[in-house]
């Protein structure tokens, strides 16, 4: 079992930056691939970014955030981050952290409660 708690959301103007954090519980954090998803009002939850387990050598991004968002992990701090730059109003959503057995765009096993990101125009 892994418990995940997100933080770092808030209100930011278009073009600004935010860094989301997701702290995990449990001793097996390093063995999990980690990902971020988001869900905007009235829309389905969508994949944003993922990072492989252990060293995090592999990452994968949705086309809509590629070049603007960066996912990273710090196993010593049992934390995964999402650095979001050049934010756009369409990035407004609740952002969720997830843990799974391998880097993929769906079928993650554990989820956090989410943190709200609002980008004003």
């Amino acid at each position: 079992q892994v418990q995940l708690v997100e933080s770092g959301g808030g209100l930011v103007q278009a073009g600004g930056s935010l860094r989301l954090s997701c702290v995990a519980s449990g001793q097996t954090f390093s063995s999990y691939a980690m990902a971020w998803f988001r869900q905007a009002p009235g829309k389905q939850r969508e994949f944003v970014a993922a990072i492989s387990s252990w060293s995090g050598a592999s990452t994968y991004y949705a086309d809509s955030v590629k070049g603007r968002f960066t996912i990273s992990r710090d196993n010593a701090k049992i934390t995964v981050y999402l650095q979001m730059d050049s934010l756009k109003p369409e990035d407004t959503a609740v952002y969720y952290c997830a843990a799974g057995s391998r880097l993929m765009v769906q079928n993650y096993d554990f989820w956090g409660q989410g943190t709200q990101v609002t980008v004003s125009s």
Side-chain angles (χ1 to χ4, degrees):
Q1 279 280 2
V2 177
Q3 283 79 47
L4 304 170
V5 179
E6 304 96 333
S7 64
L11 174 64
V12 63
Q13 288 188 332
S17 298
L18 280 175
R19 187 176 81 156
L20 305 183
S21 299
C22 172
V23 179
S25 67
Q27 298 177 341
T28 57
F29 173 76
S30 300
S31 67
Y32 286 98
M34 301 297 296
W36 288 93
F37 289 75
R38 66 187 181 186
Q39 186 167 19
K43 295 187 177 181
Q44 289 189 332
R45 186 165 57 189
E46 64 175 359
F47 170 81
V48 174
I51 188 166
S52 57
S53 59
W54 304 109
S55 67
S58 298
T59 57
Y60 186 73
Y61 297 91
D63 288 343
S64 59
V65 306
K66 200 172 296 183
R68 299 188 298 122
F69 290 11
T70 304
I71 189 171
S72 62
R73 66 188 300 156
D74 185 334
N75 292 333
K77 295 183 179 180
I78 51 173
T79 300
V80 62
Y81 302 98
L82 185 68
Q83 177 67 41
M84 306 186 296
D85 298 318
S86 302
L87 282 161
K88 304 175 181 179
E90 51 264 44
D91 294 319
T92 295
V94 177
Y95 283 71
Y96 298 91
C97 174
S101 59
R102 59 186 178 91
L103 193 156
M104 49 194 170
V105 298
Q106 59 184 357
N107 296 331
Y108 282 79
D109 301 308
F110 305 104
W111 294 84
Q113 294 300 305
T115 185
Q116 176 70 48
V117 172
T118 303
V119 184
S120 63
S121 56

